[in-house]
Amino acid sequence: MNRFGSDISELLRQITHKQMRTETELMQQTGLNQQQGRTLEYIGAHEGIIQKALADAFRLRGATITSMLQGLESNGYIERRTQADNARQKQIYLLPKGRAVLEQISRAFETSNDTLVKALSPVESEQLIKLLAKINRGLDPE
Amino acid sequence: MNRFGSDISELLRQITHKQMRTETELMQQTGLNQQQGRTLEYIGAHEGIIQKALADAFRLRGATITSMLQGLESNGYIERRTQADNARQKQIYLLPKGRAVLEQISRAFETSNDTLVKALSPVESEQLIKLLAKINRGLDPE
DNA sequence: CGAAAACAGTTAGACATCTAACTGTTTGCT
DNA sequence: AGCAAACAGTTAGATGTCTAACTGTTTTCG
């Protein structure tokens, strides 16, 4: 009915939207955008991951991943290796330049998260995480 | 530290991202996208609103609003009137075609919200709304 | 009053994502 | 063994948003 800031879906959208602005700003220094940052982080935690798995993890299209990784590769952050045993897929690895920005990236995301939780008590934060995780799980099967 | 689905910021992002996909899909029938739908709804509730106010409400850039409204106008959903008393601004009004899709739009967003809350009990929903509203408020001043 | 600043909207051009169609590789089945 | 289907990745072209620079209008103030 009276949406405009009152229903959950809309609240989530508003918060996330503001959050993305903050993160884009925080990442400015690195010259990367928010999604590139997340991707480098993820690759760092999953060296040798293939593009399809990145697409699934972030729910982005294959074409989007191709394009983003081409950018990261040509700027020297990562390397894509075609494997001997399966020429269909490419494994992704961080290069030194990529590893070098990880610290800065994770600081940016932590700061961003802090601006969110600072409005809540520790108990409330815990509650919120539980509720969100529940929703997130509920969204997955379909 | 171990982000990837565990911190609030990331959970919000994941949920919202899935949600936007659902909504885009639900709105498919109307030929509008999710943001156009929200905008029409908002105009319906605030007839005569000016573009700047829409930009503020959705936190989109003026240029983005211009472009979106040009689309909605040329497709006959809305009308933009320059006022006599202030030639700087344009007031936005729904045309019959715009009013005609409102019903469908709000059903789509309700459905979308339902897929979220169905994972929660009524009590949990209430809790969640309170927590999110708190965060949202906390984000506003800056 | 008149110039400067603030404001609302627009245009041009960049960028990230999307879909659809395609290439090349691997798997599965008869 | 060999063909069809599934799969991973790429390309081309569309769309939505952004920033920066611009136009035209209104407000402010010396």
Side-chain angles (χ1 to χ4, degrees):
Chain A
M1 272 280 138
N2 175 26
R3 194 159 356 274
F4 309 135
S6 60
D7 76 5
I8 291 180
S9 168
E10 176 64 15
L11 277 167
L12 288 170
R13 211 190 113 272
Q14 282 185 26
I15 294 171
T16 304
H17 195 244
K18 293 177 197 171
Q19 200 63 6
M20 272 179 37
R21 284 238 198 278
T22 309
E23 287 170 6
T24 301
E25 208 171 297
L26 285 167
M27 299 275 302
Q28 212 79 300
Q29 325 152 337
T30 66
L32 298 166
N33 68 26
Q34 178 254 348
Q35 183 58 52
Q36 291 169 323
R38 279 181 207 284
T39 303
L40 285 183
E41 251 196 341
Y42 200 85
I43 295 170
H46 304 83
E47 294 257 356
I49 192 174
I50 66 167
Q51 300 190 188
K52 178 64 163 54
L54 279 173
D56 291 345
F58 291 112
R59 285 165 211 259
L60 294 175
R61 303 307 179 184
T64 304
I65 299 294
T66 293
S67 151
M68 179 174 44
L69 294 185
Q70 282 171 343
L72 289 173
E73 182 164 48
S74 70
N75 284 303
Y77 291 99
I78 60 162
E79 178 187 27
R80 293 187 294 167
R81 296 191 209 138
T82 303
Q83 318 175 58
D85 62 329
N86 190 340
R88 261 193 309 205
Q89 39 193 38
K90 297 187 177 172
Q91 293 185 300
I92 318 297
Y93 295 90
L94 289 184
L95 291 181
K97 183 170 171 189
R99 203 160 282 112
V101 287
L102 283 189
E103 166 86 10
Q104 216 176 337
I105 289 171
S106 72
R107 241 184 299 116
F109 286 126
E110 269 162 42
T111 304
S112 153
N113 195 57
D114 289 350
T115 65
L116 282 188
V117 293
K118 75 162 184 251
L120 303 180
S121 73
V123 175
E124 288 174 323
S125 287
E126 272 314 306
Q127 258 185 8
L128 181 56
I129 288 181
K130 279 206 192 86
L131 294 171
L132 292 178
K134 206 163 180 178
I135 286 185
N136 197 30
R137 253 178 283 119
L139 247 35
D140 256 349
E142 22 177 353
Chain B
M1 270 283 136
N2 175 26
R3 193 161 359 274
F4 310 136
S6 61
D7 76 5
I8 291 180
S9 169
E10 177 65 14
L11 276 166
L12 289 170
R13 212 190 111 272
Q14 283 186 25
I15 294 171
T16 303
H17 195 245
K18 295 177 198 172
Q19 201 63 6
M20 272 179 36
R21 284 240 197 276
T22 308
E23 288 170 6
T24 301
E25 208 172 297
L26 286 167
M27 299 276 302
Q28 212 80 299
Q29 326 151 336
T30 67
L32 298 166
N33 67 26
Q34 176 255 347
Q35 183 57 53
Q36 289 169 325
R38 278 180 207 285
T39 303
L40 284 183
E41 251 197 339
Y42 199 87
I43 295 170
H46 303 83
E47 294 255 357
I49 192 174
I50 65 166
Q51 300 189 188
K52 178 65 162 55
L54 280 173
D56 291 344
F58 292 112
R59 285 166 210 261
L60 294 174
R61 301 308 178 184
T64 304
I65 299 293
T66 292
S67 152
M68 178 173 44
L69 294 184
Q70 282 171 342
L72 289 173
E73 183 164 47
S74 69
N75 285 302
Y77 290 100
I78 61 162
E79 178 187 28
R80 293 187 295 168
R81 296 193 210 137
T82 302
Q83 319 174 57
D85 63 327
N86 189 339
R88 260 193 310 203
Q89 40 193 36
K90 297 187 179 174
Q91 293 185 301
I92 318 297
Y93 296 89
L94 289 184
L95 291 181
K97 182 171 172 189
R99 205 160 280 111
V101 288
L102 282 189
E103 167 86 9
Q104 217 178 336
I105 290 170
S106 73
R107 241 183 301 115
F109 285 127
E110 270 162 40
T111 304
S112 152
N113 195 58
D114 290 350
T115 66
L116 282 187
V117 293
K118 74 163 186 249
L120 303 181
S121 73
V123 175
E124 287 174 323
S125 288
E126 272 315 306
Q127 257 186 9
L128 181 55
I129 289 181
K130 280 207 191 86
L131 294 172
L132 292 178
K134 206 164 181 177
I135 285 185
N136 197 30
R137 251 177 285 119
L139 247 35
D140 256 350
E142 21 178 350

